[in-house]
Amino acid sequence: MKKKVLFLYLLGLAATYAQEQRFQGQPPIAAVPTKTRPVQKQWKGNFKFARNGITFSNDFVGSRLNGIVQNNDSTYTVLITPENTPINTSPWYAFKVWANNRTQVNVVLTYQESGKHRYFPKLSKDGVNWSLLDSTRYKEYDKGERAFGPGSLPVKVNMKLEIGTDTLWVSGQELHTSHHVSRWAEDLSTKSFITKKKIGKSRENRDLGLLAIGNENARNMLMVISRQHPPEVTGYLAMKTFVETIASDTKLAKNFRKKFTTYVVPLMNPDGVDNGHWRHNAGGVDLNRDWANFNQPETRSVKNFMEGKVKQTKGKFYFGIDFHSTWDDIYYTVDSKLEGNMPGLVTDWLSEVKAELEGYDPNIRPSDKMRPTNVSRNYFFVEHGAEALVFEIGDNTPRDFVKKKARVSAQILMQLMLKRIK
């Protein structure tokens, strides 16, 4: 009997430890003010150091480098600051560096008191193709003790970089600015069944683009959005593959498009992305807290579009998904006891995704608190009855798995929705 009790006790400890090693998800989201607040523009230009012919630059779209000082012949300390505060810990950085002669430099990234380093450095020679910095050339200082979240982050980091006359790009994640997104959308819209249009303007007057995949008069609809938060690139990459799968030439995708039309806003926050923001839009607001008040033009444009489509077609949005990035892969779903236009869809979907991806155990965090509709998921569900979720991809999830997971997810979703529609 004592052995059995000891076994159960140890089993419980193991389960508790395993749970602690897994991201527990964010706490319940509180309502915050979403009226426009000031943001601080970063100075843009070249930081030249004549003594050894090295130049740092933030003079490009999507950059973030707020100050730099030379400590000695080989070490430079960079300051990264946010667009405004309060703000969560997701410090974006992106800069270029080159030298008159081939040399090695140490670049120390530092942040203001409330900031810590989050994104592992990515390097590129052309701003398009990216690779990870060699881990032996990367050192963290004053790292937190927790496994996930802000408590796990270092206060500063040091990168050893090999530089020369060719430009080296350094960034927290791969650069996907409004130009890159627009070019992707243009390429996709060359297919006869895809239309690219504008549904509004951002606060800084950038286009808020939308893709319509299928018949725009169809009554059965899906809504896909991405990149409310500028640094969340892995979520955007998953969205791309998810949408490309729905737009593919497979028999499944063709049958799906006969029954459903998918609407996609691939870049919800073009101002934040192009300005290198940590979190907010040009109005200084977290867009994914503005789905109840709609004080910002970006969220208001999607609301008006969806309401207009329902009125025009007399149809329904059956599914809504918002792609994000966080500390680890996770799904924020609507509690299964709350039923929308296709009850049980998301539960069955994630169960089949788990079965299809060998060794994959989805981290699912349901919520039954749908009001107020501060976030997109709640708005999609409450106002449209769409089965909805936030699809989060880990910051460091391998890019090949990001694509595989998104492709499999789209395929299974299409299969399930086709079975459920009359």
Side-chain angles (χ1 to χ4, degrees):
M1 183 65 181
K2 289 183 178 179
K3 288 184 178 180
K4 183 176 181 181
V5 171
L6 178 60
F7 172 76
L8 292 175
Y9 172 72
L10 293 175
L11 187 64
L13 282 180
T16 301
Y17 176 78
Q19 189 72 5
E20 288 177 349
Q21 299 309 301
R22 193 172 208 193
F23 181 43
Q24 299 300 297
Q26 61 188 8
I29 295 173
V32 298
T34 59
K35 289 186 178 179
T36 298
R37 301 186 297 125
V39 299
Q40 185 173 10
K41 293 277 191 180
Q42 64 175 321
W43 177 87
K44 291 235 182 170
N46 294 335
F47 300 79
K48 297 182 178 181
F49 297 91
R51 189 167 69 187
N52 53 7
I54 293 177
T55 301
F56 291 79
S57 178
N58 64 1
D59 195 13
F60 61 94
V61 174
S63 69
R64 174 64 51 169
L65 185 157
N66 302 93
I68 185 169
V69 64
Q70 183 176 6
N71 304 100
N72 53 50
D73 285 344
S74 63
T75 303
Y76 299 80
T77 297
V78 169
L79 175 65
I80 306 294
T81 63
E83 58 272 16
N84 62 0
T85 57
I87 200 164
N88 80 328
T89 307
S90 52
W92 176 258
Y93 62 93
F95 57 88
K96 300 177 185 178
V97 58
W98 61 89
N100 292 341
N101 300 293
R102 185 172 180 82
T103 187
Q104 178 176 275
V105 294
N106 293 297
V107 178
V108 181
L109 295 187
T110 64
Y111 304 90
Q112 291 175 314
E113 186 174 351
S114 60
K116 294 184 179 181
H117 182 82
R118 176 167 175 174
Y119 300 109
F120 190 86
K122 317 297 184 300
L123 307 180
S124 176
K125 295 181 179 179
D126 57 8
V128 177
N129 301 291
W130 296 84
S131 61
L132 295 172
L133 174 68
D134 186 332
S135 60
T136 63
R137 293 178 168 269
Y138 176 80
K139 186 175 181 179
E140 299 177 331
Y141 297 90
D142 299 323
K143 183 175 171 60
E145 296 179 355
R146 293 184 177 272
F148 291 100
S152 69
L153 301 179
V155 172
K156 62 181 180 179
V157 299
N158 182 75
M159 301 179 287
K160 290 185 178 181
L161 303 176
E162 295 285 347
I163 59 174
T165 55
D166 293 334
T167 299
L168 178 67
W169 303 61
V170 182
S171 184
Q173 299 283 32
E174 303 91 324
L175 276 176
H176 289 277
T177 66
S178 64
H179 170 73
H180 297 96
V181 177
S182 179
R183 189 167 57 187
W184 170 77
E186 286 285 355
D187 290 344
L188 205 60
S189 64
T190 58
K191 297 188 176 188
S192 60
F193 52 85
I194 300 180
T195 304
K196 181 176 181 284
K197 59 175 60 179
K198 304 168 189 174
I199 61 168
K201 293 281 189 178
S202 69
R203 184 158 293 280
E204 289 187 339
N205 209 38
R206 291 179 176 86
D207 291 336
L208 199 66
L210 174 135
L211 292 171
I213 305 173
N215 178 6
E216 291 193 64
N217 295 314
R219 300 179 69 243
N220 307 322
M221 298 175 285
L222 294 79
M223 191 72 218
V224 179
I225 66 173
S226 172
R227 210 83 182 277
Q228 292 199 73
H229 302 145
E232 297 184 7
V233 171
T234 55
Y236 167 75
L237 296 176
M239 181 280 302
K240 282 180 63 180
T241 299
F242 185 89
V243 169
E244 288 166 358
T245 304
I246 292 174
S248 67
D249 294 328
T250 64
K251 182 178 179 180
L252 172 61
K254 290 177 180 178
N255 289 337
F256 185 77
R257 293 194 298 269
K258 291 176 183 177
K259 295 286 187 178
F260 295 94
T261 297
T262 303
Y263 295 103
V264 185
V265 179
L267 183 54
M268 282 289 301
N269 190 354
D271 295 344
V273 168
D274 284 2
N275 286 313
H277 285 184
W278 290 21
R279 181 83 169 180
H280 299 153
N281 74 335
V285 168
D286 181 343
L287 290 178
N288 205 32
R289 301 295 181 269
D290 189 42
W291 291 88
N293 296 321
F294 298 97
N295 287 317
Q296 300 303 311
E298 297 88 351
T299 50
R300 198 160 55 241
S301 294
V302 175
K303 173 183 181 289
N304 292 341
F305 170 78
M306 293 181 72
E307 291 178 352
K309 270 298 165 187
V310 169
K311 184 176 180 180
Q312 173 203 336
T313 63
K314 296 181 172 55
K316 295 179 181 179
F317 280 92
Y318 284 92
F319 183 76
I321 186 168
D322 182 5
F323 285 87
H324 284 258
S325 305
T326 190
W327 310 100
D328 196 9
D329 291 11
I330 194 169
Y331 303 86
Y332 293 112
T333 62
V334 177
D335 195 295
S336 59
K337 69 186 179 186
L338 303 177
E339 295 186 350
N341 294 332
M342 274 191 178
L345 173 66
V346 172
T347 299
D348 292 348
W349 176 46
L350 296 182
S351 177
E352 293 201 20
V353 168
K354 176 180 179 179
E356 182 67 22
L357 296 173
E358 184 178 355
Y360 179 60
D361 184 17
N363 190 356
I364 303 169
R365 302 288 165 172
S367 174
D368 60 0
K369 303 295 188 294
M370 293 293 106
R371 294 180 185 274
T373 60
N374 298 317
V375 299
S376 60
R377 175 200 61 190
N378 295 15
Y379 170 75
F380 293 157
F381 180 81
V382 170
E383 300 299 334
H384 293 279
E387 308 298 340
L389 77 158
V390 178
F391 191 117
E392 299 256 19
I393 300 292
D395 296 335
N396 300 313
T397 300
R399 301 318 191 235
D400 288 345
F401 184 68
V402 170
K403 292 181 179 180
K404 182 177 181 180
K405 179 181 174 182
R407 182 177 63 255
V408 168
S409 296
Q411 290 168 345
I412 292 174
L413 182 71
M414 289 190 288
Q415 292 167 359
L416 291 175
M417 293 188 75
L418 282 171
K419 290 177 182 178
R420 282 168 161 78
I421 200 69
K422 296 180 179 178

